[in-house]
Amino acid sequence: MIIAEAGQSWLIFWGHFHPMLVHLPIGMFFIAGILHFFSKQASDIPEIIIRILIWTTAFSILSATMGWGLAQSGEYDSDALQIHQWLGIFTCVLAAGLTFAMRAGLARRPTNLLFIISLSFLTITGHYGGNLTHGSDYLTASLPASARSMLGMKEVEVENNVVEKIANLPEAIVYTQLVKPVLTQKCTSCHNDQKQKGKLRLDTPEFILRGGEDGPILVAGKPLDSELIKRLLLDASDEHHMPPKGKTALTDNEIALLHWWVQHGADFTKKVAQLPVDDKIKPVLASYANGETSSESPVFKKSVDAPNESDLARIRTHGILANPIAKDHALIEVNAINAPQVTSKELADLRAIQAQIIRLKLGNTRMSGDFLKEIGAMSLLILLDLNHTKIADSDLDNLKNLAYLESLNLVGTPIGDRGLAHLANIKSLKRVYLWQTRVTEKGVSQLQKMRPDLAIQSGFKGRWPLEVDSTKLTLAK
């Protein structure tokens, strides 16, 4: 039994290399097609094409084998998977047949037809593979609204932090009108009917209750024992954190909403009026009653000039993402997730849009502590992520004048107890993350006394996920 399980694990492990390897035979196949159709019957071209097709066939078979291994994980819709799988196998057969036909000296016209058929099947196979990985709407998700309207397609929801106003909030079904929209926007892209990471679906109550490969994700009445809530509260750099790195994280209000729902039974039919309302959830529900932004920061009520597109373009040349937080919005989120080698020199270009930046994520970059002087001038900053950067305790003093800063991530930095004193001076700060730092329990305790309203998350005690120190998971009041 143990040997069988180990074999299954190895099979799935090698299967995860399928998305990486599969692009090689695809590119080779298209190169062979280009050489074939644009060659002028040069004597050496057919031999080159044959050699390319031989390697294409070999890598196609290897890739298909890895794809079969990946399919054993059970994370994908079986019907769509079957179509992709058989199309892939047929494409491998066509590649082998085309190689044999060209080596046998098949006439050009039937060879042309074989190439066209093969490349068509390859394109269709790739399309279904993309659907399995990214969702069936991946190609059309960013289609402009005007084009979607012309084609009769429904308008997609923009991923932002603005909640829709609910006219009669007390009568609203908590799951249907509050919880489900959060899961749909932030979770179901990886947990749906076509793709089930961890064998988990979050698109219907039935599958939410069923849970995933590790069992149920909800323990009614016990949010801190529920995997759904645990994963949301982990540090973003933790491999178990959900959503995974690179995906848009849930806001504090959204986490508070899910926490409240699970705490009071995780019922799929109850109305807001039927659940107890405490001081933590009141402002969250108020945002639905008023249709306000879920972050509730006064920053969102300010009038801000739109950033210059040329400034944004220059920033993006460094690999830094700099995008509006929502459609037709002037406020900007900056994320250096794709630019780990960026330094303070490149980041200096952010000075041009410092008046619009409200979220700044510079984790795992090579920025130096002196750049915090620049950050201190970003007057509307709400969220600052500096995880795994080389900043010193004294550098944090540059943040004292940030009037709207609510969340500060210092995970994996060399910050110690002396740096915590500077955090106490940031009056707007609501949450600070201090995992894997040099701070001591004594330092955390002193900061908590100075700022009892501050939610300090310094990590778990014990082993994940068996032992949880719930005192570190307290939601901001």
Side-chain angles (χ1 to χ4, degrees), residues 33-332:
I34 291 170
L35 289 174
H36 173 75
F37 285 109
F38 290 94
S39 65
K40 296 182 179 179
Q41 301 295 340
S43 59
D44 60 332
I45 291 295
E47 183 61 32
I48 294 174
I49 295 173
I50 291 171
R51 288 177 181 273
I52 293 175
L53 287 174
I54 290 173
W55 284 106
T56 298
T57 302
F59 281 113
S60 296
I61 294 172
L62 181 60
S63 177
T65 303
M66 289 181 172
W68 176 76
L70 183 60
Q72 307 312 304
S73 66
E75 294 180 350
Y76 302 93
D77 174 63
S78 58
D79 293 336
L81 183 62
Q82 286 291 319
I83 295 174
H84 176 64
Q85 178 176 289
W86 284 108
L87 282 172
I89 293 172
F90 192 58
T91 301
C92 289
V93 172
L94 283 172
L98 189 54
T99 305
F100 179 80
M102 291 198 71
R103 292 195 70 175
L106 187 67
R108 189 172 180 85
R109 284 191 176 181
T111 303
N112 289 349
L113 182 60
L114 267 178
F115 256 114
I116 292 171
I117 293 173
S118 300
L119 293 174
S120 297
F121 268 92
L122 180 62
T123 302
I124 297 170
T125 304
H127 171 66
Y128 275 96
N131 285 354
L132 286 172
T133 305
H134 303 291
S136 58
D137 64 341
Y138 178 68
L139 290 178
T140 59
S142 298
L143 197 65
S146 56
R148 299 183 72 88
S149 178
M150 288 176 58
L151 296 172
M153 301 169 65
K154 68 176 183 179
E155 192 170 342
V156 293
E157 295 181 22
V158 178
E159 192 173 275
N160 54 51
N161 294 328
V162 178
V163 297
E164 292 190 12
K165 183 176 181 178
I166 299 177
N168 189 358
L169 185 63
E171 292 299 306
I173 305 298
V174 176
Y175 168 74
T176 305
Q177 294 175 261
L178 282 74
V179 172
K180 185 177 180 180
V182 173
L183 297 179
T184 299
Q185 193 175 79
K186 300 291 178 68
C187 306
T188 57
S189 62
C190 292
H191 303 285
N192 54 61
D193 59 339
Q194 296 185 11
K195 182 180 180 183
Q196 299 103 39
K197 297 296 291 183
K199 297 183 180 179
L200 173 66
R201 285 178 59 176
L202 295 173
D203 53 337
T204 68
E206 175 190 358
F207 287 106
I208 292 173
L209 291 173
R210 182 181 297 179
E213 62 183 357
D214 295 323
I217 61 168
L218 293 179
V219 180
K222 298 180 178 180
L224 297 181
D225 290 336
S226 302
E227 286 295 317
L228 177 66
I229 305 300
K230 283 183 184 179
R231 301 294 181 103
L232 297 176
L233 292 171
L234 285 169
D235 178 74
S237 62
D238 193 291
E239 62 177 318
H240 298 291
H241 178 268
M242 289 294 152
K245 193 172 183 179
K247 299 284 187 178
T248 304
L250 277 71
T251 65
D252 291 304
N253 273 9
E254 289 168 340
I255 295 175
L257 177 66
L258 296 179
H259 186 282
W260 175 66
W261 176 62
V262 176
Q263 184 178 18
H264 296 293
D267 192 281
F268 293 88
T269 60
K270 285 188 176 181
K271 300 176 181 179
V272 171
Q274 295 175 291
L275 300 186
V277 175
D278 55 27
D279 291 338
K280 293 179 182 178
I281 201 63
K282 278 182 180 179
V284 180
L285 296 178
S287 69
Y288 283 89
N290 301 324
E292 298 173 352
T293 55
S294 59
S295 64
E296 302 172 76
S297 172
V299 164
F300 292 94
K301 298 179 181 179
K302 291 184 174 293
S303 178
V304 180
D305 293 333
N308 192 304
E309 284 298 325
S310 62
D311 292 331
L312 293 176
R314 184 171 64 258
I315 292 167
R316 289 165 183 157
T317 61
H318 304 307
I320 301 171
L321 303 176
N323 299 312
I325 62 166
K327 186 179 180 181
D328 300 324
H329 214 301
L331 299 176
I332 299 293

Side-chain angles (χ1 to χ4, degrees), residues 398-413:
N398 293 296
L399 306 180
K400 63 184 178 183
N401 293 323
L402 292 176
Y404 302 105
L405 184 64
E406 297 179 0
S407 179
L408 178 60
N409 187 343
L410 299 174
V411 172
T413 63

